[in-house]
Amino acid sequence: MLEYLRNAAEKPLAKFLITLLAFSFVGWGVAEWIFGNFAGDNTLIHVGNGEITYQQFSMERNREMAAMSREEQRAVYTDPIVADQLAARVLSNLTTQRMAENRADDLGFAVSDARIAREIRSFPEFQENGQFSTYLFDYVLNNSGYTEAQFAAILRSQVLRSMVLGAVSAPMDVPAFAVRAAYNARYATRDIEYATIEYDDFKVANPSDEQLRSFYAQNPRIVPEFRTISYVLVPADMSKPDEYDAAYETAIKVEDDIIAGETFESTAKKHNAKYVALKPFSVDKRPNDEILTDKMIATLFDMDAGLESEMIETPRGFVIARVDNIAPEHAQEFESVKKDLVADWKRAEQKKQAYVHANEILVDLNKDGKFVGKKSAANVSRASGAPVAVLNAAFNNPVETNTIVPGDKAFYVLRVNAEKMPSVDTKKMDALTKELKDASSRALMDDYNSFLVREYPVRINEKVYKRVFAK
């Protein structure tokens, strides 16, 4: 048997199977470590009347990891965010599968043993020279922790899922009239007229203090919360077990010394770690520091001032951080921003005057058709032919609409005169048909998944879930 594996070790299939077996052993070891000899409930999630156990989660996770590259596997072990994403994806897939199985039971679907036998014989992993190999089948199952009954149960579950979801995942036909309506809406053009009233065309004098104070009361300047952070990093290549273990032991000593009252700086120096003291920063304006990931920022901005974090594992090593000071969010004093407010006040006044003038033009247009300062634009599309704000309004309003459109630097008075339907472009029509079919299929699948969620509610077994995923 060993000689067979040695001879086949360089074959891609053999590499895949060996990796799968390795992760299967790891999975069973982890299960033993977590549950020990605990004989009680190990259900992670209840789905309707069904359940997802830790063993099911572990085996599915191992199968996904076996198909990953070494770099992807390393990321799972060294980056908690990647590990969490993998766990969430596995649990989501298992939950969806369990809901489909529940639905199959309710509908009375069944899968015969003969069907399962055909499925097993079709697996390329169990074939040698194009023929089913009993030896490969027995060997892989025995060394991956599966019995024939367990493997057959997995296959039966997959077949049942395809029976339940197959119909709603089949390609959908879209009526020709719907395709043509979408085609016309996307590629039609319009003839429009519009006048531009620039904000900068209106001159305003400097404001008085009273005007500025009134303006500031309606538009206060808010300073976000700033925090002063320091941390100690015990660096390590977390993908190397020896470095990981050594760094972990050092980090424990660092943590003990900090708890005993030593400063971060002296503790870091004592253990040859890295001490970093950051200048005050906000959530949106953080320093350029690899340690400050989104997850780390969320942790630091959830802590009280003067407190240290627990030991945090990062791709760069182990970190212990402290919030040294918090400057709460607050409104700036009027006098400190008075000079800066002048430009904002003037801009607001310019916009007011521009809108008044735009409204005068619109009133004349509605009253007697007089359109001062108009510019004609024929055959504009949704993407070109006029300013973006004008195009959006031109296609969001009916023909013969007159309206005022706000822009970044001007108001526009718009009149939509006419709409022109596009000629048929076969290539564009075919592409749109495929797009609508895909969108309809996704919408149907989403609706059916929502039905399954309502029919078979998901409930987390908090006791077991926290034991497995507690940070």
Side-chain angles (χ1 to χ4, degrees):
M1 182 184 302
L2 293 176
E3 184 175 355
Y4 172 84
L5 284 179
R6 281 196 295 271
N7 293 336
E10 295 305 315
K11 296 180 181 180
L13 173 60
K15 291 181 178 179
F16 172 80
L17 293 175
I18 291 172
T19 305
L20 176 62
L21 296 179
F23 278 107
S24 295
F25 286 130
V26 171
W28 289 116
V30 171
E32 179 67 22
W33 171 66
I34 291 176
F35 291 106
N37 295 321
F38 184 74
D41 183 20
N42 65 1
T43 300
L44 281 174
I45 297 175
H46 296 277
V47 185
N49 294 327
E51 62 183 28
I52 297 171
T53 65
Y54 175 77
Q55 284 76 10
Q56 290 172 313
F57 164 78
S58 179
M59 285 189 286
E60 185 63 27
R61 180 179 183 275
N62 294 337
R63 280 196 292 273
E64 286 213 21
M65 290 193 65
M68 294 179 178
S69 65
R70 288 188 176 181
E71 290 73 17
E72 291 172 329
Q73 293 169 1
R74 185 178 296 112
V76 172
Y77 284 120
T78 59
D79 190 336
I81 295 178
V82 176
D84 289 346
Q85 290 172 342
L86 173 61
R89 184 170 67 251
V90 170
L91 286 174
S92 176
N93 291 340
L94 288 172
T95 301
T96 302
Q97 182 170 318
R98 182 67 256 187
M99 284 190 291
E101 292 172 10
N102 290 350
R103 190 61 184 162
D105 290 341
D106 289 348
L107 294 175
F109 291 164
V111 181
S112 67
D113 291 341
R115 169 73 181 274
I116 296 301
R118 289 197 303 270
E119 295 286 342
I120 290 175
R121 289 181 177 278
S122 68
F123 269 63
E125 292 85 355
F126 302 142
Q127 294 180 1
E128 188 174 23
N129 298 324
Q131 298 294 322
F132 177 74
S133 169
T134 303
Y135 169 76
L136 278 178
F137 177 70
D138 291 339
Y139 182 79
V140 172
L141 292 193
N142 289 337
N143 287 278
S144 62
Y146 286 122
T147 65
E148 290 187 22
Q150 289 172 332
F151 188 72
I154 292 174
L155 283 185
R156 181 170 279 105
S157 173
Q158 292 175 347
V159 174
L160 287 171
R161 181 181 180 184
S162 68
M163 293 168 68
V164 171
L165 302 180
V168 293
S169 61
M172 293 185 62
D173 287 332
V174 179
F177 77 86
V179 176
R180 185 54 195 260
Y183 183 84
N184 289 343
R186 180 172 296 185
Y187 296 109
T189 60
R190 291 193 168 190
D191 294 340
I192 64 173
E193 295 173 329
Y194 66 96
T196 304
I197 301 90
E198 298 279 356
Y199 304 151
D200 289 339
D201 289 343
F202 299 87
K203 305 304 179 183
V204 295
N206 287 330
S208 65
D209 278 4
E210 183 179 352
Q211 288 173 319
L212 276 183
R213 287 183 182 280
S214 176
F215 178 76
Y216 186 61
Q218 298 175 0
N219 304 276
R221 296 285 183 87
I222 301 299
V223 178
E225 178 183 299
F226 274 75
R227 294 196 168 208
T228 306
I229 305 294
S230 58
Y231 67 82
V232 175
L233 168 66
V234 180
D237 184 343
M238 305 294 271
S239 64
K240 297 179 179 179
D242 291 343
E243 285 195 35
Y244 181 99
D245 292 341
Y248 181 73
E249 292 181 4
T250 301
I252 291 177
K253 295 177 183 177
V254 169
E255 189 174 44
D256 290 342
D257 288 346
I258 290 173
I259 293 173
E262 293 192 29
T263 66
F264 271 42
E265 187 173 8
S266 63
T267 302
K269 185 176 181 179
K270 176 180 178 181
H271 296 285
N272 294 320
K274 181 180 179 181
Y275 170 71
V276 176
L278 298 170
K279 294 181 179 180
F281 64 91
S282 65
V283 170
D284 296 328
K285 294 183 179 180
R286 69 185 71 172
N288 185 17
D289 190 311
E290 293 181 342
I291 295 300
L292 298 180
T293 61
D294 290 343
K295 187 172 184 179
M296 180 69 78
I297 288 293
T299 298
L300 295 174
F301 274 75
D302 193 44
M303 293 168 54
D304 293 328
L307 295 183
E308 296 89 20
S309 70
E310 297 179 350
M311 187 193 308
I312 302 172
E313 184 177 329
T314 75
R316 304 276 297 176
F318 293 96
V319 171
I320 299 174
R322 180 175 60 201
V323 178
D324 297 310
N325 186 52
I326 299 176
E329 177 183 280
H330 62 281
Q332 290 180 275
E333 293 293 332
F334 169 75
E335 293 297 335
S336 68
V337 296
K338 180 178 177 180
K339 291 182 179 179
D340 296 333
L341 289 175
V342 173
D344 292 343
W345 182 89
K346 285 186 173 182
R347 193 60 167 178
E349 287 300 307
Q350 285 178 316
K351 291 180 71 173
K352 289 179 183 178
Q353 295 186 29
Y355 182 80
V356 169
H357 185 55
N359 193 59
E360 291 171 349
I361 295 175
L362 180 63
V363 168
D364 290 341
L365 176 60
N366 289 333
K367 184 177 180 180
D368 54 22
K370 182 182 178 182
F371 200 168
V372 178
K374 72 176 181 180
K375 176 181 179 181
S376 298
N379 297 323
V380 298
S381 70
R382 291 179 178 272
S384 63
V388 173
V390 173
L391 292 176
N392 289 338
F395 284 90
N396 287 333
N397 288 284
V399 173
E400 299 185 355
T401 293
N402 301 330
T403 187
I404 295 177
V405 180
D408 292 333
K409 297 181 180 181
F411 283 111
Y412 304 93
V413 179
L414 169 68
R415 176 173 177 78
V416 183
N417 289 325
E419 184 175 42
K420 298 177 182 178
M421 293 299 105
S423 58
V424 175
D425 182 316
T426 303
K427 186 176 181 181
K428 289 182 178 179
M429 187 73 81
D430 290 343
L432 182 58
T433 300
K434 182 179 183 304
E435 180 184 331
L436 293 176
K437 285 182 177 180
D438 292 342
S440 298
S441 295
R442 287 194 300 270
L444 181 60
M445 180 61 77
D446 289 343
D447 286 346
Y448 193 70
N449 282 338
S450 297
F451 161 76
L452 292 178
V453 170
R454 294 192 302 270
E455 194 74 8
Y456 310 105
V458 177
R459 305 182 308 282
I460 295 176
N461 186 346
E462 295 288 348
K463 182 177 180 180
V464 176
Y465 192 91
K466 289 179 179 179
R467 188 191 312 149
V468 174
F469 296 108
K471 298 297 183 184

